[in-house]
Amino acid sequence: MRILVIEDDAETAAYLQGGLQEEGHVVTLAADGRNGLMLAATGDFDVLVVDRMLPGLDGLAVVRTLRASSVGTPALFLTTMSGIDDRVTGLDAGADDYLVKPFAFSELAARVKALGRRPRATAATTTVLRVADLELDLIKRTVRRAGQPIALQPREFRLLEYLMRHAGEVVTRTMLLENVWDYHFDPRTNIVESHLSRLRTKVEKGFAPELIHTLRGAGYCLREPG
Amino acid sequence: MSRVRRFRNSNFQLALLYAGLFTTSILVLFALTYRTAADYAAQDEADEIDVEFVAIQDEAHLAGDGYLPQIIANHLRQRSSEHAAYLLEDAAGQRLAGNIAARAPQLGPQNLRVPVDGQWRELRAHGYRLANGDYVLIGQDPRALRDMKHLIARAFSVNAAITLLLAVLGGVIISSRALRRVDALGRTTQAIVAGDLSRRLPLRGTDDEIDRLSANVNAMLDRIEDLMRSVRQVSNDVAHDLRTPLTRLRQRLEQARRRGDATPQELREVLEGAITQVDSILETFGALLRIAQIEAGGRRRARTTLDISALLSGVVEDFAPAAADRGQLLLAEVTPGLQLSGDREQLTQMLVNLLDNAIRHSGAGARIVVSAHASTAALEIVVADTGPGIPAPERDNVLRPFYRLESSRTTEGSGLGLSLVAVIAKQHGATLALADNGPGLRVTIKFVKNGAAARRSDAHVTLSDAFVQR
């Protein structure tokens, strides 16, 4: 993917560039809001990574200006502020995701990937999600594997839905907490792991092949076998 | 107390103002009274002269005009003690009788200054023309008028003097008493400014304005002292708490540098350990920041009325599998449909932290119950577990940041979880109480209803409230 990183701290910028390039992305750097805005306005990027605090034009203004001129490139905000108000203003300005510094690089990589594939995943007309022989009906709220109905708790249903919408992508624990549980803080108790193991039991036991994978130190991935 | 200050202070100025006002009103009153009395006395004297003239006329009518000189002489004799003056002149201006010198006839009321019996006197007089052409002048000393005027003037000046004296005296007394108290307050506040935060303003127990003001200032000082102590405590705690992981981190890194023969695998392990260490430090900072944010944002955040029952049940549902994985039973016993005005995310975090604690500290087989019920006055949320509990003397301590029980030192955690709960409760005007669950711990969060919660949460909750030692 082509990624534009707008970040004024040179060290962080180099770190992001190096990491994202290792993941196989093409990375362009902009050191301030004005340059970043000019580059982003060309629309040549798949994802924008925008530091919220920038000299001159700040990240909030950059994204707001882009959205006002109908540039819809998905944007990920990086910030040191974790308050709910900051998150809400960021999302209101038109950012698509929000990541609080400091973060693990794997977290950023997963979110950037998720943002880059967004259009396909959020196709509005989709009412049934399918991965291999697993089927999730969004209207009837039912799940079948190999044609057999599987009963899920509401939270397990949402968890599976999120994993299936991001099939083939790595989703992190924090992404699941934010999107499935709406927890914007990290509980000490690993509620994700517990729900996921139950979901696995229901979706995988007696079926083959395995669809939900745990990637140590990175997150989870639901993908087609092979 | 210097002379200048006595005159500058507001009480004294007020006293002076009152004295001035009293004096002015007394003067106005005096002027009015004096004027009225003088007019009355003057009229009275004019009437008296008229009566005298009528009497002389009547007598002359009876005896004949030729007796006029004798009649005048008689009257003069009768009223000799009153310094009365009479003059009778014939039409040619010849003096016929009387005790003053002949003068040009002048009719009507007049003021005279003439020698009477060899003494100059001020007289009120009236000149009359008789039918036979004779001229009669009757004058009398206006002593009654003068006496009355003197009387009035004296009465009023004595009055004014006393009023002025009392006003000034009262002003001085009142103002010097007030000044003494203000001076005492001033000395105390100066001592406080100089650094002695333990000083308090003296109270007299009279509950007057100054007493109430002093009590407020004292309350403010209590709060400042608490905060100062807590800020000191926090910086100590932060420094102390971060020293340990930073020291360990440094040791690890140094050890890796010293060992030249470390394999890439070993180096990798060292780095992973270092990252874990850094993460735990960052977590502590994150928790501190979050506490500060909640404290700072508390007043600005819009609260919504939310279904707290649904919130509690939802969180319990989220946590039940994790509890079950540890062999624990997590249950919600919540009255459905309870409403509470608050911040959804904060209240969620509050319960999550309490459940984190309960799950982490209670062993397998424990039973954790989240319950909520409301009375007319309050709404109570209770998280009770059957774990090891907290010994009574430690219950207050665990609300302090970074405080950890000896028994839980080895488990992971920032020691800020309960502090965050305390801050959120405080932001919602709720009280937090820890009690014995026999066995286990019972945490009760009590929200007072009837807008009391909203009012209290509007009050300024200062940074580090949670850190104040209870």
Side-chain angles (χ1 to χ4, degrees), chain B residues 316 320 323 328-334 355 367-371 382 384:
Chain B
V316 167
Q328 298 163 340
L329 182 63
L330 173 59
L331 294 171
E333 288 173 2
V334 175
L355 288 181
R367 184 185 153 97
I368 303 163
V369 181
V370 174
S371 57
V382 178

Side-chain angles (χ1 to χ4, degrees), chain B residues 317-378:
Chain B
E317 230 168 83
D318 293 340
F319 276 69
D325 287 350
R326 291 169 149 255
Q328 298 163 340
L329 182 63
L330 173 59
L331 294 171
E333 288 173 2
V334 175
T335 311
L338 296 177
Q339 305 278 310
L340 185 69
S341 162
D343 181 309
R344 176 178 294 278
E345 183 163 310
Q346 286 180 15
L347 291 172
T348 305
Q349 173 137 41
M350 182 169 81
L351 183 64
V352 165
N353 279 21
L354 290 173
L355 288 181
D356 274 343
N357 273 345
I359 290 173
R360 205 146 36 98
H361 295 300
S362 309
R367 184 185 153 97
I368 303 163
V369 181
V370 174
S371 57
H373 57 268
S375 64
T376 43

Side-chain angles (χ1 to χ4, degrees), chain B residues 13-328:
Chain B
Q13 284 167 0
L14 203 66
L16 271 188
L17 183 71
Y18 273 120
L21 267 176
F22 279 136
T23 313
T24 312
S25 59
I26 281 175
L27 281 177
V28 171
L29 204 65
F30 167 70
L32 279 174
T33 314
Y34 186 87
R35 185 72 184 275
T36 314
D39 283 355
Y40 176 77
Q43 190 54 50
D44 200 39
E45 266 166 359
D47 289 350
E48 220 173 296
I49 291 173
D50 270 347
V51 167
E52 188 72 10
F53 174 67
V54 170
I56 289 169
Q57 230 178 356
D58 284 352
E59 282 169 40
H61 190 67
L62 283 173
D65 285 350
Y67 285 95
L68 263 172
Q70 281 94 328
I71 293 169
I72 295 288
N74 275 344
H75 277 263
L76 194 54
R77 217 168 24 250
Q78 280 162 18
R79 300 187 62 208
S80 61
S81 60
E82 297 171 34
H83 312 293
Y86 292 86
L87 176 65
L88 178 64
E89 288 175 6
D90 62 15
Q94 192 68 42
R95 175 169 174 256
L96 301 175
N99 58 349
I100 53 178
R103 51 191 293 118
Q106 196 189 340
L107 299 178
Q110 50 203 279
N111 287 320
L112 292 181
R113 183 175 162 74
V114 290
V116 179
D117 306 327
Q119 250 192 316
W120 287 90
R121 289 197 181 280
E122 306 267 357
L123 298 175
R124 285 287 299 159
H126 201 115
Y128 305 92
R129 181 73 67 189
L130 292 175
N132 63 355
D134 284 359
Y135 172 72
V136 176
L137 182 73
I138 304 171
Q140 67 180 21
D141 190 352
R143 82 199 121 55
L145 179 63
R146 212 167 45 224
D147 288 354
M148 184 179 278
K149 278 178 179 172
H150 280 156
L151 208 66
I152 292 171
R154 201 166 54 230
F156 271 96
S157 42
V158 167
N159 247 329
I162 291 173
T163 307
L164 208 65
L165 191 75
L166 284 180
V168 171
L169 217 69
V172 169
I173 290 170
I174 291 169
S175 67
S176 67
R177 273 174 57 185
L179 214 60
R180 260 205 306 282
R181 289 182 71 187
V182 173
D183 274 345
L185 299 187
R187 273 194 302 278
T188 312
T189 43
Q190 269 163 17
I192 293 164
V193 169
D196 186 0
L197 257 182
S198 63
R199 290 283 293 271
R200 290 296 177 268
L201 300 183
L203 296 181
R204 293 203 315 182
T206 50
D207 199 34
D208 56 10
E209 310 82 357
I210 295 187
D211 244 25
R212 283 199 301 268
L213 184 67
S214 303
N216 280 340
V217 171
N218 283 348
M220 193 173 77
L221 288 168
D222 287 346
R223 182 108 179 96
I224 291 173
E225 204 184 5
D226 265 357
L227 288 175
M228 293 281 286
R229 198 186 313 136
S230 73
V231 167
R232 255 197 304 275
Q233 177 79 33
V234 171
S235 22
N236 276 345
D237 287 346
V238 170
H240 191 264
D241 212 71
L242 292 180
R243 247 179 111 85
T244 317
L246 283 172
T247 308
R248 267 192 234 133
L249 174 60
R250 193 177 189 290
Q251 283 164 354
R252 252 175 220 264
L253 292 173
E254 203 171 83
Q255 214 170 14
R257 188 180 61 181
R258 257 209 316 265
R259 283 190 52 192
D261 58 339
T263 64
Q265 177 59 30
E266 280 168 334
L267 279 178
R268 199 183 164 75
E269 273 167 27
V270 169
L271 286 177
E272 256 161 31
I275 288 175
T276 309
Q277 213 92 60
V278 170
D279 280 347
S280 102
I281 297 167
L282 287 172
E283 195 191 347
T284 301
F285 272 117
L288 279 173
L289 256 175
R290 193 154 174 83
I291 288 173
Q293 270 172 347
I294 289 174
E295 284 179 332
R299 282 194 307 163
R300 278 183 284 120
R301 290 296 303 282
R303 292 179 194 288
T304 47
T305 300
L306 46 92
D307 183 343
I308 189 75
S309 305
L311 188 151
L312 297 177
S313 307
V315 174
V316 167
E317 230 168 83
D318 293 340
F319 276 69
D325 287 350
R326 291 169 149 255
Q328 298 163 340

Side-chain angles (χ1 to χ4, degrees), chain A residues 82-103:
Chain A
S82 64
I84 183 172
D85 296 323
D86 304 312
R87 189 174 70 237
V88 170
T89 39
L91 299 182
D92 280 352
D96 301 86
D97 202 357
Y98 201 93
L99 193 54
V100 178
K101 288 181 184 175
F103 48 82

Side-chain angles (χ1 to χ4, degrees), chain A residues 1-13:
Chain A
M1 282 193 286
R2 290 155 303 160
I3 300 169
L4 174 64
V5 175
I6 311 176
E7 163 69 73
D8 60 315
D9 180 54
E11 199 172 321
T12 308

Side-chain angles (χ1 to χ4, degrees), chain A residues 1 3 17-26 105-106 109-110 113:
Chain A
M1 282 193 286
I3 300 169
Q17 187 178 33
L20 288 169
Q21 274 169 354
E22 263 174 49
E23 298 265 316
H25 302 300
V26 179
F105 186 80
S106 54
K113 225 176 223 168

